[in-house]
Every structure is written in C-alpha cells, then in structure tokens.
Amino acid sequence: VSRYLDINLIGARRSADISGTPAAVATSQPPSGSWPARRGLFRKYLLLFIGLVSAALLINAGIEIAFAYRENQAMLARLQSEKADAAAQRIAQFIGEIERQMGWTTQGQWAAGSVDQRRFDYVRLLRQVPAITELRQLDAGGKEQLKVSRLAMDVVASGTDFSRDPLFSDALAHKISFSPVYFRNESEPYLTIAIAGSGRNPGVTVADVNLKLIWDVIRGLQIGRNGYAYVVDRQGRLIAHPDISLVLRNTSFAMLPQVAAGLREMGGGTSVPLPSGSNTNSTDMKNSGMRMLSAHATLPALGWLVFVVVPRAEALEPLYESAMRTAVVLLAGLVLATLVALFMVRRMVGPIRLLQAGTARIGAGDLDSRIDVRTGDELESLADQFNTMAGQLRQSYSGLERKVAERTEELHESLEYQTAISDVLRVMSQSITDIAPALQTVVEMAVRLCHASQASIFELENGVYRWKVGHGLNAAYRDIEAGTDITVGSDTLVGRVAVTGHAVHIADALSDPCYRPTNEARIGIVRSMLGIPLLREGVPVGVITIARAVVEPFTEREVEMLTVFADQAVIAIENVRLFREIEDKSVAAEEASRTIEAAYRELKAAQANLIQAEKMASLGQLTAGIAHEIKNPLNFVNNFAILSVELLNELKEAAAPALALLNNDQRAEIGEVTGMLTSNLEKITEHGQRADGIVRSMLEHSRGSSGERREVDLNTLIDEALNLAYHGARAQDQSFNITLERDYDADIAPIEVNPQDMTRVFLNIFSNGFYAATRRARNGEDAGFVPTLKVTTRDSCEAAEVRVWDNGTGIPAEIRDKLFQPFFTTKPTGEGTGLGLSITYDIVTKVHGGSIAVDSNVGEYSEFTIRLPRKP
Amino acid sequence: MRRRDLMLLCVAAIGWRSPASALQEPIPRIALLSPRSDAEESVNAFRRGLRELGYVEGNSILLEIRSSRGDNERLPGLATELVSLKSAVVVTNGGPASCVTQDAAGSIPIVMSAVDDPVGLGFAQSLVHPGGNLTGLSNLPEGLVGKRMEMLLEAVPDPGCVTGLHGHGEQAGDPLYWREISTAAQTLRTDELPTAVSQISREHCRAVMVMSSALYVSARVQLVALPARHWVAAIYDNRLIVDAGGLMSYGPDTNDMLRRATTYVDKILNGAKPGDIPIEQPTQFEMAINLRTAKTLGLALPPSLLLLADEVTE
C-alpha cells in the first residue's frame, strides 16, 4: 500500500504542475508488478487442484494395476499349468490309444491263432493306428513269430531271438515297456512299445511307433494365438514340436532353463499317475528375442515332459488391456479434474482479480472508483473495506493537495531566489574589475524578489553616503539621489541605517515622524521603505534600500532576503577592492623580480669572471716563478756566449802571427774552425736572446701592469695598433695581404686605459686574426676568397666595446675554453709562445677590469669582443 | 506443457508409425515345376497348403507353375524360365525336375518333393542337414518295392513271372530302385511301353510292377489300357493311375507331399536356410484298389489285401 501512496503523491504533484486537476491521475497505468502476482495465484491454485486430483487418481490407478498384475500373474500361471496338463493329457491319450489298440493282440489265445488270422489282425491294427509302422509278435521265449510292416514284406516265424532285448524282459516284468526314443534313417523319431500278453506263457507284442504322428496332436493343441506345446524325453531331446524340422534334426532342449528344471524335477522320481499334474509355475524363456512364458507337465511312464509356451506379450495382453483401460479412465479423470479446477479457480480468482484491479485503480489515484465484488464472502467484505479506505484517502488527499501546492510555491520562490543569487554571483565573476554591473544586478534582483518598486545602493565615501546604483527609480528621483551626500543621522533612511548599523524598516515614509525628505519621497513615490547596512567586518561601507510605492510593510522573509543581497553587494565591493589591491601588488612584485633577476645575472657573470681570473692568476704566478728561475742560467749562457765571441776575436788577433807561419791548409782549417765557433756562438746568442725574450714576456705577464693610466682616444689607439700589426706582418711576409675594414664609433668618449698594455692587446688580437685569415687563404680556398679583418668600436655610457672580426679558419668549440690559458697555441712550434692571448686576457680583465669574449664558427669567422668599463 | 506442444506430440506419435507401414516389401514369387500334365490336383494341394499357412495368392505371394506334361526333355527349359523369373523359391516334384532345377537355379532355394534318394542323388549331404540349397520331402530310402511285390503276389498268387517297368532315362537316376527289384523278383527292362507290355505278355508274365514315374502318371490312360489288354496285373505307386483304371497302387501321398512342401517354402521365406532344414520322409502311405479292373482281369482279391486298401474303387 505504501508503494501505491508514493506513486500517488508523485502523480499528484505532477498533475498539479501540469494541469492542476487530480482527475488526470486516474488515467495512469496500474503498476506493472501486479500481473505476475495474479498469474501466480491462478497457476498455484490450478496446479494444486490438478495435482491433488491427479495424485489421487494416479495412486488409485497404480494400486489397481499392481493388484491386477499380481492377480493376472497368478491366473496366468494357473492357466498355463492347465494348458500343460491338457497337452500332457492329449499326449497320454495318443500313447494310450496305441496301447489300447495293441491290447487285444496280446492275449494268450490270440497268439495261438493261425498266422493268417494274426497277420490279418496286425494289418487291421496298422490300418487303425497310422502311427505304428511295424508290428512284431514275440513268443514267451522271445522268438519272433510274425512281423508285419507298412514298408517291407511281411515275415512269418523268422524265429529271430529278442529274448535278450531289455525291452522284452522289461515288458514281461512290467506288462508294458517303452523304449527310449530313437531315430530311424537319421531323422525319423521312433518309439518302440512292448506289451506283454496276459495269461500263462504270455507273448509280447512289439510296435514301432513313428512319433512324427504326435505332431498332429501337438499341432492340434490350440494354446493361445501364438503359443505352442512341445515334448522332450528324459534326456531333454525333442520328441514333438510344431516345427517338425527341429524334431527331425534330433534337437536337444536340455540346455533350456525350464527344460533343465523340469528334468531335475522328474529325476526326483515322484511317481505321479499318468499324466501328472503340472507343478511348475510359469518361467520366462527367451525364444528368438521374444519373452515367453512356459509351463510343463510330466508323463512319468514315458519319462517325457510336455511343455507349453506362450509369448509373454500375449499372456499379459489382458493385463495390458486393463492397464490401458485404467490409463484412459485416468486421462479422462485428469481432463475432468483440470476442467473442474479451471472452473473453480476461475470462480475464486475472478473476484480477487476484480479486487486487485480495483485496488490498482485506487492506487493509481482514481479515488472515486469503487470495487464491485458480490460474492457474499470475505472477499466482498475486503472489497468494502477497500472502498471505505479509498473514501478516507480521498478526504485526506484534498488537504494534502493544498499543502503540496503551498510547499511547491515555497520551493518555487526559493528556486527563484537561488537563481537570483547565482545570477549575482555570475555577474560578479564576469566583472571583476567593475563593481557597477554586480551592484546593478543586486538591486534588480532585490526589486524582483522583494516585490518592491525600487532599490538603490549607497556607498560610504569620505564620511558621506553616495548613491551608486538603482533600479526602478524615476529620472527625477534618481537625480536627487545622485546629487545628495547623505550624512549619518536619523532623518534619512540611509543615515538611520548608518546610525544603527542594523536593518531599518520605515512602514510609511510620509507618516514617519523622523523622516525628513518627505518631498523627495513624494517625488520618488516611495512609501514603505527598508534599508540594510552593507557591513564589512562589522563596519558599514554602504546601504542597500528598497522601497514600495504603496504602504505595504516588508515581511520578515523579505528582510532576510535583502540582508542576503546586502551581503552579496558587500562581497562584490570587497571583491573589486581586493582585486585591485592584488593587481597593484602583483605589478610591484613583477618589477622587483625583474630587478632581482638582473642582479642575479650580473652576480653570475662576476662570479665566472672571478673564477677565470683566479685561474689565470695562479697560472701567471707559476709562469713568473719558472721565468725567474730560468732567467739566471740563461743570463750566464748569454753573457758567456757574448764573452766567448769576444775572446775568440782576441784569440784570432793574438794568433794571427802564428797563423801566418802555418801553411795554407792548416790556416784554412783553423780559420774554418774559428768561423764555425763564431757562428755557433752567434747562434747561441741569438737563441739565448730569444729565450730571454720569452722569459721576459713571461715576467711581464706576471708583473702585470706597470705603466700609468691615462685617458686616450680608443679609436686612435686601435688604428695605430692596426697599422703596426699590418706593417709588421708585411715585414715578415712580403706576400701578406688582407682587407681591413674599420667601423669606428666616432662619438666614442676618451677612456682611461694603460695605452701600452692595450696596444699589446690589440696587436695580439690583430696578428691572430691575420694569421687565421691568411691560413684559410693558403689552405686552398677558392680564388674569390678575400681575407678580411674588421674592427668595430662602440660606446655605451658604462663601457667601450671593441669587436675584432676575421674571416679566418675559426676556432673549434672544444678549444675555446683553453684559448686564454698560458702556453696554449695552435701555431707550429717556434711561431708562437702561447702567451699572447693569455697576456691579453690578463690585461683586459685584471688591469682594466673588462671582459673578453669569443664567438666563432669554424671555417667561417672568429670574433673577439672586448668590453672596457669606464670605471673599473 | 502448452496445448500446442501436446498436439505436436500426438502428431509425432502418429507420424512415427506410418513409415513402417508405408514400407512395402516386394511380394515373393514361388515357382512350381511339375513333370505331370494333369498337375491340377497336386497344384491344388500346394495351393491349399499355402492358404493354410496364411498366404494369399497374388496378394502376399505370387505363384508361377510350369509343367513338362510328362516330357522330361522339356524340363531344363522350364527350369531355366522359372529361375529367370527371379523366384524366391522353386518347388519341384520328383527326381528329374529337382535335378534340372538344381542345375539351373544356382543358389536359389529349391524345395523338392517325392525324390527317392536325395543323398544318393547328391541333392543333400544328409537328410538331417542337407547343406546345399535343396531340401524338402523324400520318398522312403528303402523304397516300397518289397511291399508292393508282396501285394502284387497276394493279388496274383501265380503270376508266372513278375517284371518291372520304368520310364525312359530314369534307370540311371534310381539305382536303388533296381537294387531292390533285383532282390525281389526277376528283372526285365524295356523302354517302349507297348512293346514292353506285349513282350511281358509273350513271356507269360502275369504281373508287372510299374515304378514310380511321372511319365506313367502323365500317360496313365494308355498305361492302364495296355496291361488290361494283355491280361496283366500291375501295381503302381500312385493312386491316380488306379483312379484311371490301374489295378493297385501303394505309395506315399504325393499330393500331400506337395502340400507339406509349403511349410518348407514358408520357412525359407521367413529366412531359414534350406541347407539347415532337415529332409522329411513320408509317414503315410495309401493303398488303392480298383475292383472293377480286378474283375476285368478275373482276379479275386483276398480280404487282407482289401483291408489294407485305403481306397477301393468299385
């Protein structure tokens, strides 16, 4: 039920939304869950009914069939036994008839009759008993007296001795004797019967009986439709069978279970008068795939067993028929039970379905519907209760509906309010820098939601409140408001709000005793007014007001709402303020970071310079030390070499007279030796001085700047150095040629440098440039290549900059770091000391506090840039 | 279960049965080869046997009957014709018919009747288990020659001499027969009936044994006339000749044999192998006497003989 109520509520709400009439609900579908439930009940009861009736019928039928089966089995056994008895009776009759016919030929006086008479009688016997093939008359001594046959010629008094024949003696002893069954001509079953005569000295009549004639007897027995009888002897050999082939084939049935059982039984030797009663219950046998029932009876005198077999299916036919009948009755019963069950369950489930449909209708909201069940039982009373409940539900429903409408209205309002707030927030987020749109939205929303005619926001600036934005104001009133600075005081709404710091409600501006600007109020058509302070951290920064053109005091709810709008306005104002502050601060921070970054870069450069300088200084000290140590021995070498030359000259002068005494050859030889000595010494001097030069420059390197500084024109200094270098190079190599390009900054201010040192610097760099350009020209560049060296000077206020560019071979990147190290050179041995650029570096960095940088592209150009600061 | 399912089940159950009944086996064809011209009575016996076993001619069985009308020369052609008809079983009457059918039939089962010595003639390995494709009903192996002789002598106590008659070309086929008669009486041979009989008459033989021969049955009218004309008493093996005017006959009932042959046909049609079905020997013999002929010949038959007779024609 609760689920239906839920659905009902939702339905009612929806209907209220759409059409506002609850009647629309009645058309809604019943819940889909109701169908399986109905089916379940119907099926359950139906199955229960059918199941019960079926079970009863089935059990009944089962018991009936079981009993019928047992009775049938018993009857069958009885019937079979009777049939077996009957069959045995017939066989016994057959044999008995032969005996009876033979009987009168065994009498004593008959045997004494004439041969012709006896023969005649025998022929007659043959005529009467077709089964007898041959007859013999034996006298008391066992001698054959007469033989009459159907097949052969008759024999009279052959005298053949049969006295040893067991049949003969047996017949004498027991009056009658039967031979075992034997086969003539392979296939003809025969039985010999010997009957002893009565009276004194009796003879014996012996008859050969063709047992094939029993076939007619066996065939004559009607045993069911497909049943038959057969006879076996005491060895289990077949004597008679409807299928004569089996007999002719001399078949043994001793292996068949029922025959074996029968033979065992007969072996027990119960001498029952002929024929014996059957004493075997039916046993099953399998014959050519068909299950057979068999029974037997014995013929003890002959030692034969007579079997009667009937196919099981045939024997059980009555049972099957009765089972079939039962099944038909059962089926009919089931059908009837099903129909009755269907009818009854329909009768029962029908009202329940009505009830269900009715409740579903009520559940779906159709409270006017009534359940019409007229069964006069519990179901009807249940339906009545449902009807009553529906009526009550209908009553409570109307109240509920009203509440729902109210609640919906509230929800609608709050939704609108939420939308308004979100609108304000949206506008605020869109205009971060400008406050006006946000405040405008606030006043618009305030007018709409508080059902006011107008709204304004005033902001506190320099102790007075000024009108900022408004909505719904007429132009005149807005001009008044915009042109007025409102001070704190209870004579105006804004002032009063500022004074109290709380919401102020003026029910009617015209009747309020303290409210002063009543004229303005009339112009603005305001009567009921409401003001709320805009508080930032408890301090008023402005006021929001709303007003109505009629006297209609604002509700508590509207006050609350306006308070929220006031908060929104404060947030908006605050946002803009904060945003601006942050903006200012971030600009300042950006500047600061730029400054820091520059300082950091300078610091980094200075550090690199310092490291390089330190490295160079230590190398320079090392160099100076070495130079100093070498200089003394070198001085000895040089001085003594010069002295030796002088001494040699003295020796030549002193030895001149002595030489004259010598012959020419000797003289020439001595002259040659002295010449060589002189030249050797000159070479020592020359190279010694070169070494001295190297040492000196090393010492210079370490010594640092010696000369004084003065202000010079850098362009002039460079030009002089350039000329000097060019002519020096021409002096060394006549073929030397290079294009010189000068790009001087004419406005370059005089700079304070050590001119000698700087001249050395430039000479070094220029000569390196010449060397590189020349080498590239000689290294097989094409004819169009013009070796060029370009000098550029530039001035900035802090430093002068000189660039020396050549289109020489360039400097590979891997050796650029080593370039300024002492003794590093790429020139062949003897051409450079490896100190030139090292000294240059020292001079620029240490002496002048400047910097030197290299830029190069191998195979294209090299460029040295020297920066000389004006204030080192 | 839904109603539709139940109906489907019923339809299925009905449909189940129908294919079996729709399947029709071809109707088996049975051929009968008889050497006799008046085959009617024996054929009727055969038909009766089939009816007793539940066969309906033309419906459950087809019958093809050919007769050589006493002319043994025609037998091979007829046998070939019957075999070419694709018969399921060929039933033959008498030794010659069985012999030619065996030659023509190949493996088709043959049910013979009235064959004197099936084992001796090579039709079967043994009576109990024939082994080949021939089985059926034989005459008695030892024959009834002695018994007939006895009867003949009883009828004609002083015959002068007794002679025998046999059909042309049958001598080789029935050696047993000759053995028997040689032990029983003087043996005379002849081929041509009239000359034979006149010769018999010239030799003052007043008794003649006519051996089992289809030829004689076919030609029985002439046959019975000849002895009567020459005042010679004759005993036959077939009752039919006595009916036609012969003096006496003693032998198995050949018509009954043909009737019994249908049980063999039945077994073979039901799948039994002819080689497994034992050959049956006759158990019943019938004796017929024509008193009118006896009277014509001036014979007074003793009561013991008359007692033996199953049928006495007045």
Side-chain angles (χ1 to χ4, degrees):
Chain A
V1 174
S2 69
R3 194 175 65 202
Y4 292 165
L5 276 181
D6 281 350
I7 290 158
N8 198 2
L9 269 178
I10 291 165
R13 209 173 291 155
R14 194 186 302 138
S15 73
D17 282 348
I18 296 164
S19 62
T21 54
V25 183
T27 58
S28 62
Q29 291 296 313
S32 60
S34 66
W35 284 101
R38 181 192 65 78
R39 256 199 176 166
L41 195 65
F42 186 78
R43 189 187 291 169
K44 205 153 57 189
Y45 278 114
L46 194 62
L47 288 181
L48 191 69
F49 261 90
I50 294 173
L52 273 174
V53 175
S54 308
L57 285 173
L58 278 173
I59 289 166
N60 182 29
I63 291 169
E64 198 171 298
I65 287 174
F67 275 104
Y69 182 75
R70 286 181 60 179
E71 280 167 18
N72 194 275
Q73 287 286 66
M75 197 188 75
L76 217 61
R78 226 167 35 241
L79 208 69
Q80 286 283 88
S81 298
E82 277 167 19
K83 279 181 185 165
D85 285 346
Q89 191 80 44
R90 293 289 299 276
I91 303 291
Q93 269 176 15
F94 175 76
I95 301 293
E97 176 68 18
I98 294 170
E99 275 176 52
R100 202 172 54 74
Q101 293 284 351
M102 283 169 70
W104 60 273
T105 63
T106 59
Q107 285 152 22
Q109 63 266 39
W110 179 85
S114 71
V115 171
D116 279 347
Q117 183 57 46
R118 277 180 282 144
R119 183 166 167 263
F120 186 79
D121 285 346
Y122 270 5
V123 168
R124 208 164 54 181
L125 190 55
L126 287 181
R127 181 114 186 80
Q128 276 163 0
V129 188
I132 298 175
T133 304
E134 207 168 273
L135 281 165
R136 281 193 302 275
Q137 188 205 357
L138 309 181
D139 64 12
K143 302 277 193 304
E144 187 187 86
Q145 295 300 322
L146 179 64
K147 178 179 151 192
V148 175
S149 169
R150 282 184 199 278
L151 308 177
M153 293 171 82
D154 302 342
V155 182
V156 178
S158 69
T160 316
D161 190 1
F162 283 96
S163 62
R164 302 243 173 139
D165 196 320
L167 204 63
F168 174 73
S169 48
D170 198 44
L172 284 181
H174 296 106
K175 178 84 174 145
I176 184 163
S177 176
F178 300 95
S179 75
V181 176
Y182 62 96
F183 284 82
R184 271 193 187 182
N185 295 329
E186 306 170 67
S187 65
E188 302 289 291
Y190 268 86
L191 172 75
T192 306
I193 304 174
I195 300 175
S198 55
R200 257 182 334 105
N201 236 359
V204 173
T205 302
V206 179
D208 285 351
V209 179
N210 189 338
L211 289 179
K212 266 165 77 182
L213 273 298
I214 297 184
W215 186 69
D216 290 330
V217 179
I218 292 285
R219 268 221 329 171
L221 291 171
Q222 187 63 36
I223 299 167
R225 270 199 317 283
N226 295 311
Y228 57 90
Y230 59 89
V231 183
V232 298
D233 69 2
R234 65 177 85 239
Q235 273 82 43
R237 267 195 317 188
L238 199 62
I239 295 164
H241 193 281
D243 182 0
I244 200 152
S245 292
L246 290 172
V247 180
L248 301 187
R249 220 182 278 153
N250 192 1
T251 312
S252 174
F253 270 11
M255 302 308 289
L256 293 178
Q258 74 271 25
V259 174
L263 290 175
R264 265 201 310 281
E265 211 171 275
M266 195 169 64
T270 47
S271 61
V272 184
L274 186 140
S276 86
S278 155
N279 43 12
T280 301
N281 277 330
S282 61
T283 46
D284 292 352
M285 77 173 265
K286 291 238 176 183
N287 187 10
S288 62
M290 200 158 48
R291 281 168 72 82
M292 309 289 277
L293 287 174
S294 96
H296 74 268
T298 50
L299 291 168
L302 290 161
W304 291 359
L305 284 169
V306 181
F307 282 86
V308 167
V309 291
V310 178
R312 194 183 155 80
E314 188 189 318
L316 292 177
E317 215 163 61
L319 183 66
Y320 292 154
E321 270 171 20
S322 107
M324 190 56 76
R325 252 195 326 272
T326 313
V328 168
V329 169
L330 181 67
L331 200 67
L334 283 180
V335 169
L336 195 66
T338 309
L339 289 176
V340 169
L342 262 173
F343 176 71
M344 287 189 69
V345 172
R346 220 175 260 275
R347 273 290 298 271
M348 195 163 71
V349 173
I352 295 177
R353 280 175 65 186
L354 271 178
L355 205 59
Q356 194 185 23
T359 50
R361 273 203 310 281
I362 293 170
D366 184 8
L367 298 179
D368 292 329
S369 82
R370 287 292 174 265
I371 303 164
D372 189 26
V373 176
R374 295 275 172 271
T375 53
D377 54 12
E378 287 90 338
L379 288 174
E380 188 178 335
S381 71
L382 185 65
D384 289 345
Q385 279 173 18
F386 264 113
N387 288 339
T388 315
M389 196 182 74
Q392 287 169 355
L393 209 59
R394 187 168 161 68
Q395 282 174 9
S396 63
Y397 178 74
S398 49
L400 200 66
E401 208 172 275
R402 201 184 59 243
K403 279 183 194 163
V404 166
E406 279 172 13
R407 185 92 189 102
T408 308
E409 185 59 31
E410 275 174 27
L411 280 171
H412 182 63
E413 266 177 31
S414 82
L415 184 70
E416 217 173 340
Y417 173 63
Q418 295 288 342
T419 313
I421 299 288
S422 77
D423 278 353
V424 172
L425 288 174
R426 187 166 45 74
V427 173
M428 269 164 68
S429 67
Q430 280 167 358
S431 60
I432 295 166
T433 51
D434 192 4
I435 192 167
L439 295 183
Q440 188 67 41
T441 311
V442 168
V443 290
E444 277 169 20
M445 292 299 163
V447 166
R448 207 170 80 208
L449 292 182
C450 298
H451 307 293
S453 60
Q454 52 174 273
S456 299
I457 288 176
F458 300 84
E459 213 176 336
L460 182 64
E461 282 174 4
N462 305 322
V464 294
Y465 289 89
R466 285 215 179 91
W467 183 86
K468 281 289 164 189
V469 294
H471 181 69
L473 282 71
N474 58 37
Y477 190 56
R478 192 172 62 222
D479 289 346
I480 294 169
E481 291 284 47
T484 316
D485 289 349
I486 304 166
T487 52
V488 178
S490 60
D491 53 346
T492 62
L493 176 65
V494 174
R496 211 184 290 182
V497 169
V499 167
T500 60
H502 297 296
V504 172
H505 187 205
I506 295 172
D508 185 0
L510 299 187
S511 61
D512 191 272
C514 298
Y515 190 72
R516 190 175 45 78
T518 46
N519 279 332
E520 285 88 336
R522 274 196 198 91
I523 292 166
I525 322 166
V526 290
R527 299 295 294 268
S528 292
M529 300 170 78
L530 177 65
I532 304 281
L534 309 182
L535 296 173
R536 189 177 76 210
E537 292 164 5
V539 179
V541 293
V543 174
I544 180 166
T545 63
I546 52 172
R548 283 185 183 135
V550 291
V551 180
E552 189 191 334
F554 291 96
T555 63
E556 198 65 28
R557 204 177 125 66
E558 281 161 346
V559 173
E560 270 173 35
M561 225 185 282
L562 195 63
T563 310
V564 173
F565 282 125
D567 292 344
Q568 294 282 333
V570 171
I571 290 165
I573 293 165
E574 197 61 5
N575 270 353
V576 171
R577 194 179 64 82
L578 286 173
F579 181 76
R580 279 183 188 151
E581 264 176 33
I582 287 164
E583 212 172 29
D584 292 348
K585 278 177 184 165
S586 74
V587 168
E590 211 172 308
E591 249 165 50
S593 84
R594 261 204 300 279
T595 317
I596 288 165
E597 205 178 334
Y600 174 72
R601 265 204 300 277
E602 279 168 20
L603 193 66
K604 193 93 176 176
Q607 202 176 23
N609 284 344
L610 206 60
I611 290 165
Q612 181 73 357
E614 207 49 49
K615 201 160 72 182
M616 292 302 164
S618 61
L619 272 169
Q621 276 175 1
L622 182 72
T623 314
I626 292 166
H628 190 73
E629 287 305 318
I630 290 171
K631 187 143 180 69
N632 285 338
L634 199 60
N635 278 342
F636 276 102
V637 172
N638 284 340
N639 291 341
F640 280 99
I642 294 164
L643 194 63
S644 297
V645 172
E646 286 169 6
L647 285 175
L648 203 58
N649 286 338
E650 281 176 27
L651 180 65
K652 269 196 251 178
E653 282 171 24
L659 284 174
L661 297 175
L662 294 171
N663 61 27
N664 283 346
D665 285 350
Q666 286 171 327
R667 206 169 39 237
E669 194 179 341
I670 290 167
E672 197 179 342
V673 171
T674 52
M676 277 171 73
L677 275 172
T678 312
S679 80
N680 283 359
L681 288 169
E682 277 168 358
K683 272 178 193 160
I684 290 169
T685 312
E686 184 193 334
H687 286 279
Q689 276 168 352
R690 190 167 151 244
D692 194 44
I694 291 168
V695 169
R696 216 170 331 108
S697 34
M698 281 163 77
L699 283 172
E700 270 172 25
H701 185 275
S702 61
R703 189 183 61 233
S705 175
S706 54
E708 74 286 13
R709 286 163 176 250
R710 58 188 168 87
E711 284 200 341
V712 294
D713 181 17
L714 201 58
N715 289 348
T716 316
L717 187 115
I718 288 167
D719 209 38
E720 276 173 6
L722 192 57
N723 283 332
L724 203 59
Y726 180 73
H727 289 294
R730 292 278 303 201
Q732 274 186 353
D733 181 4
Q734 289 300 312
S735 63
F736 174 76
N737 197 12
I738 195 164
T739 307
L740 296 174
E741 290 179 16
R742 298 177 177 84
D743 179 15
Y744 298 151
D745 183 358
D747 299 332
I748 196 163
I751 185 166
E752 191 181 277
V753 295
N754 186 324
Q756 282 165 342
D757 285 354
M758 283 316 295
T759 305
R760 277 177 66 109
V761 166
F762 291 125
L763 280 174
N764 271 332
I765 289 174
F766 293 153
S767 62
N768 280 343
F770 290 162
Y771 177 81
T774 312
R775 212 170 63 157
R776 186 175 169 196
R778 287 185 186 157
N779 277 0
E781 276 289 339
D782 56 6
F785 176 72
V786 181
T788 309
L789 187 119
K790 182 177 168 185
V791 183
T792 313
T793 60
R794 287 289 179 270
D795 189 27
S796 70
C797 56
E798 291 123 12
E801 191 180 276
V802 183
R803 289 168 185 265
V804 182
W805 182 94
D806 68 75
N807 60 353
T809 50
I811 304 159
E814 61 266 21
I815 63 165
R816 262 174 234 168
D817 291 343
K818 304 176 192 166
L819 208 57
F820 299 110
Q821 286 177 8
F823 306 115
F824 178 81
T825 181
T826 56
K827 293 176 187 169
T829 313
E831 281 192 40
T833 59
L835 287 168
L837 278 178
S838 177
I839 291 165
T840 301
Y841 182 84
D842 278 2
I843 289 168
V844 171
T845 58
K846 285 185 185 163
V847 178
H848 293 97
S851 65
I852 182 163
V854 187
D855 180 25
S856 175
N857 203 355
V858 175
E860 282 184 25
Y861 71 94
S862 304
E863 187 180 53
F864 287 82
T865 306
I866 297 164
R867 273 174 66 82
L868 294 170
R870 292 198 183 276
K871 292 170 185 170
Chain B
M1 188 186 292
R2 276 185 296 179
R3 213 174 313 166
R4 195 172 43 185
D5 295 346
L6 202 71
M7 276 172 65
L8 270 177
L9 206 73
C10 290
V11 171
I14 292 162
W16 195 330
R17 281 263 163 204
S18 51
S21 58
L23 197 101
Q24 267 193 337
E25 286 180 27
I27 301 172
R29 189 188 297 274
I30 308 297
L32 176 62
L33 179 59
S34 175
R36 308 213 298 237
S37 58
D38 58 334
E40 206 164 304
E41 198 173 340
S42 57
V43 168
N44 281 343
F46 186 72
R47 287 198 161 117
R48 194 166 62 249
L50 287 175
R51 270 200 303 278
E52 280 168 9
L53 289 167
Y55 289 100
V56 180
E57 195 182 336
N59 195 350
S60 60
I61 204 156
L62 297 174
L63 215 53
E64 295 287 342
I65 298 164
R66 298 289 184 275
S67 172
S68 67
R69 300 185 179 282
D71 185 359
N72 283 357
E73 307 288 331
R74 289 179 61 201
L75 283 174
L78 294 172
T80 313
E81 185 192 340
L82 287 176
V83 167
S84 68
L85 288 171
K86 294 196 173 135
S87 307
V89 184
V90 181
V91 181
T92 60
N93 192 2
S98 305
C99 197
V100 295
T101 309
Q102 188 191 26
D103 292 342
S107 61
I108 294 177
I110 300 167
V111 176
M112 56 195 173
S113 69
V115 174
D116 281 338
D117 183 9
V119 179
L121 289 170
F123 292 156
Q125 290 163 11
S126 71
L127 293 177
V128 175
H129 193 263
N133 60 332
L134 272 86
T135 186
L137 298 107
S138 72
N139 286 332
L140 276 183
E142 63 265 67
L144 292 167
V145 179
K147 197 69 193 171
R148 280 198 205 109
M149 180 69 78
E150 186 186 273
M151 287 171 176
L152 193 57
L153 291 176
E154 227 173 311
V156 189
D158 180 23
C161 74
V162 179
T163 189
L165 275 177
H166 64 88
H168 178 73
E170 285 187 345
Q171 180 188 357
D174 295 1
L176 192 74
Y177 165 82
W178 288 108
R179 198 171 65 234
E180 285 290 327
I181 198 161
S182 63
T183 62
Q186 186 187 355
T187 304
L188 285 176
R189 298 177 48 195
T190 181
D191 290 336
E192 296 299 319
L193 209 51
T195 33
V197 175
S198 59
Q199 191 181 349
I200 291 166
S201 181
R202 272 199 305 281
E203 289 177 9
H204 306 289
C205 281
R206 289 201 55 222
V208 64
M209 286 174 67
V210 180
M211 299 312 166
S212 70
S213 165
L215 172 70
Y216 296 149
V217 177
S218 305
R220 58 183 181 257
V221 178
Q222 300 100 295
L223 185 65
V224 298
L226 285 166
R229 201 188 305 153
H230 293 279
W231 304 99
V232 174
I235 187 162
Y236 308 90
D237 65 346
N238 201 308
R239 188 177 52 79
L240 294 171
I241 303 174
V242 176
D243 290 346
L247 179 62
M248 290 192 295
S249 75
Y250 185 62
D253 186 346
T254 51
N255 289 342
D256 191 54
M257 276 190 180
L258 268 181
R259 189 178 64 83
R260 295 282 292 278
T262 55
T263 63
Y264 283 80
V265 171
D266 182 44
K267 281 177 185 172
I268 289 166
L269 290 182
N270 283 327
K273 284 183 184 167
D276 293 338
I277 310 173
I279 293 170
E280 209 178 314
Q281 297 169 30
T283 45
Q284 275 173 318
F285 308 95
E286 53 182 3
M287 187 190 176
I289 295 175
N290 194 326
L291 282 181
R292 201 169 54 239
T293 311
K295 208 169 169 184
T296 313
L297 292 171
L299 295 172
L301 301 177
S304 61
L305 203 60
L306 289 173
L307 183 69
L308 276 170
D310 295 277
E311 191 181 311
V312 177
T313 310
E314 296 291 339

